[in-house]
Amino acid sequence: MSFKKTARTLPRVGDGPFFRRALIGIVLTLGALLILAPLLIIGVEAFSKGWQVYRDTILHPDTRHAIMLTVLAALIAVPVNTAFGVAAAWAITKFDFRGKGFLLVVIEIPFSVSPIVAGVAYLFVYGLQGLFGPTLDAYGIKILFAIPGIILASMFVTAPFVARELIPLMQAQGRDLEEAATSLGASGWRTFFSVTLPNIKWALLYGVVLCNARVMGEFGAVSVVSGNIRGQTNTLPLHIELLYHDYQAAGAFASASILALIAVFTIIAKVALERQGAGRVRPAANPAENAS
Amino acid sequence: MKIRLDHVVKTFQTFRAVKDVSLEIESGELVALLGPSGSGKTTILRMVAGLEFADGGHIYFGDQDATDIPVRDRGVGFVFQHYALFPHMTVAQNIAFGMEVSKVKRDKAAIQTRVAELLHLVRLEGLGERFPAQISGGQRQRVALARALAVDPKVLLLDEPFGALDANVRRELRRWLREIHTKLGITTLFVTHDQEEALDLADRVVILKDGHIVQQGTPEEVCREPKSAFVMKFLGDANMLPAEVRDGRAHVDGAVIEVSGIADGKAELYARPVDLDWAASGPGIPASIARVMDRPGGRRVIATTGSGVPLELDLEPERAVKAGDTGYVTLRRATVFAA
């Protein structure tokens, strides 16, 4: 009996040279057309009218205000959502209570709802014809078409990011460490800061980075509630759209380049964090290797 | 510290894990809670620790009712099956944790001295700067014990402490835990499903089934006088032969054994493999040998009786028996329970 000599690896898709080249070709072409080309265009178009125009666009009061507003939204929404996410993940994974399943579903809602629907919903809750609108108006509190509305909409859309990142990890870690800490006499806060937090810090940072990227780039929900008042309620993404519709393509691309830059930094931070083990569930810290 | 459980009940949703358990553990005693999975042994241990709260009944530490004292203030040392060491802290930091968070303030030097003492006690000198991931499973469990002992607990509680370790390490740690217990004299309660571990280690064994205590006593008592077929089977290999009791005698396939306290009628006769012997001629239970398995200490013979009941016998290494032999199984001793 004789055996045909073959490579000592498992057979896989794309072993044939023609097929392999075709697959690689498809990936490269699509990658270039769909991802790389648009990014390059942003850079090229932003500087198409020269460095001076780029600088003027960026330094224009409206652009500066849009940047400021976007940063402000992130500065408020990200810490609030971080606190919410950590609290929710801690409660869900470390304790048993009624309505736990319901809370899990509620956390998921912003992911499954289109941002524009969220924005419209906010109109009906806080708008003048809405649920609380007249009352709020009576007290002179303006939420819609103002900064609070923008921040609320951003917070809604990004609420699940941190919790979603933490829940699977904390579930895999179990409750033993917290129980051990409490049995040794640690208070709840002490247990959280000395035991829980150090073991979730990379996943937490990862969630914060993703949350921040989404807050800064959010368009749909914010666009509905902000009212697009130039220099007042325009965030950076809205500002870009406005410039573009004003036929100021170079200006739009210049502003877009800032968002693109933030995206690049996000990716770098994400990769760096993934190297630290965030973003995936690690096997239990104390694997039972001598299992009998 | 003496521990007393008084009619303790615990229900999870609809599942009653612990049903009316009363138990006393004397000060300085080492007691094993032994039972199959789902018998409620871990739940009892966690209630003593304060990690679960009883739905009914009381738990006393000495004269104090500890039923509602939270785990943090209960002053117990708890050792988890999977160690539960803090992975981001060194061995020394793990051991020091309890002293650092304690309401009793200690200065740094005192903590360090105590950590060094404990490392010496658990024979891990020189490993203080390692992280849990850098030491073996047996070493981790010793660190976990040192960490639990650091806060001078009134009671030491261990949940399947050696369950995740391989057989050799397990046996070594067992002996070592016994030594530490003798040295410190701390009241200790541990959970295991391994009867050998319970019998080796404990002063007293409490056997549980379906949330009830079915028997408790010294290892000698539970081994020599099992009160039920369950205990008999759970403590080790046991053969069962259907028997018929008449006038204080149990009749089994031609063999007769004296029994007391069993009403006439159907009964079950239990015998360990070492309680059975093999003879070429009667009297005895006629049987044929199906298989012989050789082990370092002797020969395990599987024989089938005339009525088709399989029996396991332990014979001396020198005995010349082989599959296919026919002869008689004789009873050296046996325990009979009413069926």
Side-chain angles (χ1 to χ4, degrees):
Chain A
M1 219 160 104
S2 70
F3 292 98
K4 206 175 117 192
K5 276 196 178 168
T6 49
R8 287 177 203 165
T9 51
L10 292 172
R12 48 182 191 175
V13 174
D15 267 346
F18 172 75
F19 197 42
R20 181 164 65 221
R21 275 178 213 140
L23 282 179
I24 293 173
I26 290 171
V27 169
L28 289 182
T29 316
L30 284 181
L33 280 177
L34 296 179
I35 301 165
L36 225 50
L39 264 178
L40 279 177
I41 290 293
I42 293 174
V44 172
E45 286 293 319
F47 292 101
S48 61
K49 301 251 171 76
W51 171 248
Q52 195 57 40
V53 175
Y54 183 82
R55 219 184 71 122
D56 286 350
T57 313
I58 302 285
L59 293 180
H60 188 277
D62 287 353
T63 314
R64 289 216 319 252
H65 188 271
I67 295 173
M68 196 273 298
L69 193 54
T70 298
V71 171
L72 177 72
L75 278 179
I76 295 171
V78 174
V80 169
N81 277 338
T82 303
F84 165 75
V86 172
W90 161 268
I92 284 169
T93 57
K94 308 290 177 181
F95 301 95
D96 293 311
F97 53 91
R98 269 166 175 277
K100 190 161 150 173
F102 181 68
L103 180 58
L104 267 169
V105 172
V106 167
I107 291 173
E108 292 285 317
I109 287 175
F111 263 165
S112 42
V113 168
S114 162
I116 204 115
V117 174
V120 173
Y122 268 70
L123 278 187
F124 279 103
V125 176
Y126 298 107
L128 270 180
Q129 276 81 45
L131 216 50
F132 306 127
T135 324
L136 289 168
D137 194 51
Y139 287 98
I141 300 169
K142 208 163 154 46
I143 289 190
L144 284 183
F145 314 123
I147 293 170
I150 294 171
I151 291 168
L152 280 177
S154 304
M155 270 169 29
F156 176 87
V157 173
T158 56
F161 277 82
V162 171
R164 278 271 299 239
E165 207 50 60
L166 292 181
I167 288 170
L169 176 74
M170 289 169 81
Q171 229 146 28
Q173 285 175 345
R175 299 176 189 180
D176 276 10
L177 292 183
E178 282 78 13
E179 287 183 348
T182 338
S183 79
L184 290 166
S187 64
W189 286 110
R190 181 73 197 233
T191 302
F192 178 73
F193 284 109
S194 300
V195 174
T196 309
L197 199 56
N199 287 305
I200 60 166
K201 61 181 175 195
W202 296 119
L204 179 60
L205 263 173
Y206 186 80
V208 167
V209 165
L210 292 184
C211 179
N212 181 62
R214 183 64 197 267
V215 170
M216 290 193 159
E218 176 52 30
F219 180 84
V222 172
S223 141
V224 177
V225 298
S226 88
N228 280 33
I229 308 165
R230 204 182 288 237
Q232 278 182 38
T233 63
N234 247 0
T235 62
L236 202 47
L238 300 182
H239 186 63
I240 293 166
E241 196 216 15
L242 216 63
L243 286 175
Y244 188 75
H245 285 312
D246 284 353
Y247 303 105
Q248 298 183 32
F253 280 114
S255 302
S257 70
I258 299 171
L259 273 185
L261 214 63
I262 292 170
V264 169
F265 275 119
T266 303
I267 289 169
I268 292 171
K270 186 169 167 275
V271 170
L273 287 172
E274 275 166 355
R275 289 232 172 111
Q276 297 288 342
R280 64 191 151 93
V281 175
R282 269 186 289 183
N286 290 328
E289 65 268 82
N290 299 311
S292 50
Chain B
M1 172 91 40
K2 181 177 169 171
I3 309 170
R4 192 157 63 85
L5 279 73
D6 184 24
H7 299 287
V8 169
V9 175
K10 176 73 187 179
T11 310
F12 293 110
Q13 270 131 29
T14 57
F15 173 65
R16 184 151 281 202
V18 176
K19 304 165 188 163
D20 195 33
V21 164
S22 295
L23 176 66
E24 285 192 16
I25 296 141
E26 295 301 327
S27 193
E29 213 180 1
L30 203 173
V31 172
L33 293 175
L34 174 67
S37 47
S39 59
K41 55 192 191 303
T42 294
T43 309
I44 293 175
L45 191 80
R46 288 173 63 86
M47 283 193 288
V48 174
L51 291 169
E52 306 280 357
F53 287 101
D55 299 329
H58 293 272
I59 296 169
Y60 297 93
F61 278 26
D63 294 325
Q64 191 189 16
D65 186 347
T67 317
D68 297 318
I69 300 179
V71 54
R72 188 186 170 202
D73 303 317
R74 216 175 268 204
V76 298
F78 201 96
V79 174
F80 294 80
Q81 180 176 5
H82 296 293
Y83 330 123
L85 295 180
F86 308 128
H88 58 290
M89 297 184 197
T90 63
V91 165
Q93 286 168 337
N94 264 284
I95 297 174
F97 184 83
M99 294 183 274
E100 272 161 10
V101 301
S102 166
K103 286 169 187 164
V104 185
K105 290 282 162 256
R106 297 170 173 86
D107 60 49
K108 275 224 158 69
I111 291 178
Q112 271 182 5
T113 314
R114 182 90 177 108
V115 168
E117 270 172 33
L118 286 158
L119 280 171
H120 175 74
L121 178 76
V122 300
R123 292 192 244 134
L124 290 174
E125 294 105 327
L127 293 186
E129 296 314 307
R130 300 266 191 100
F131 283 92
Q134 298 167 326
I135 58 178
S136 74
Q139 289 170 332
R140 280 179 207 164
Q141 199 54 297
R142 286 190 269 161
V143 174
L145 186 71
R147 183 179 68 178
L149 290 172
V151 287
D152 296 317
K154 293 178 258 184
V155 178
L156 186 61
L157 305 167
L158 305 103
D159 184 10
E160 302 254 6
F162 312 129
L165 301 168
D166 68 39
N168 286 333
V169 180
R170 207 138 120 185
R171 218 160 288 149
E172 186 198 319
L173 279 190
R174 226 185 262 166
R175 230 160 274 148
W176 166 84
L177 180 64
R178 185 71 229 191
E179 276 169 35
I180 291 212
H181 180 261
T182 312
K183 206 182 289 180
L184 303 177
I186 180 170
T187 310
T188 304
L189 187 58
F190 78 99
V191 156
T192 182
H193 64 263
D194 179 346
Q195 71 284 358
E196 191 188 304
E197 190 167 292
L199 297 171
D200 273 16
L201 196 49
D203 296 323
R204 206 149 52 85
V205 178
V206 176
I207 301 166
L208 290 142
K209 185 197 176 200
D210 300 334
H212 286 293
I213 295 176
V214 289
Q215 190 172 355
Q216 52 175 308
T218 63
E220 191 184 1
E221 283 163 5
V222 296
C223 285
R224 299 300 155 245
E225 287 151 41
K227 281 188 192 150
S228 62
F230 170 79
V231 173
M232 181 83 194
K233 284 185 282 188
F234 191 67
L235 287 180
D237 293 343
N239 295 294
M240 196 278 278
L241 283 159
E244 181 88 35
V245 176
R246 285 191 301 271
D247 311 323
R249 283 174 171 183
H251 299 259
V252 183
D253 279 357
V256 177
I257 190 162
E258 301 280 336
V259 292
S260 60
I262 306 231
D264 285 4
K266 285 208 180 310
E268 288 178 344
L269 181 146
Y270 285 88
R272 306 260 176 232
V274 291
D275 296 339
L276 300 178
D277 202 356
W278 181 256
S281 57
I285 305 160
S288 65
I289 293 179
R291 203 167 129 69
V292 180
M293 295 177 285
D294 279 295
R295 292 174 175 184
R299 316 192 80 186
R300 166 73 54 107
V301 170
I302 299 183
T304 315
T305 67
S307 48
V309 181
L311 294 175
E312 297 195 4
L313 299 69
D314 278 345
L315 302 180
E316 299 80 14
E318 300 78 24
R319 291 289 283 274
V321 285
K322 60 180 191 302
D325 286 359
T326 53
Y328 296 86
V329 173
T330 57
L331 292 166
R332 289 201 183 103
R333 60 187 86 79
T335 313
V336 181
F337 298 105

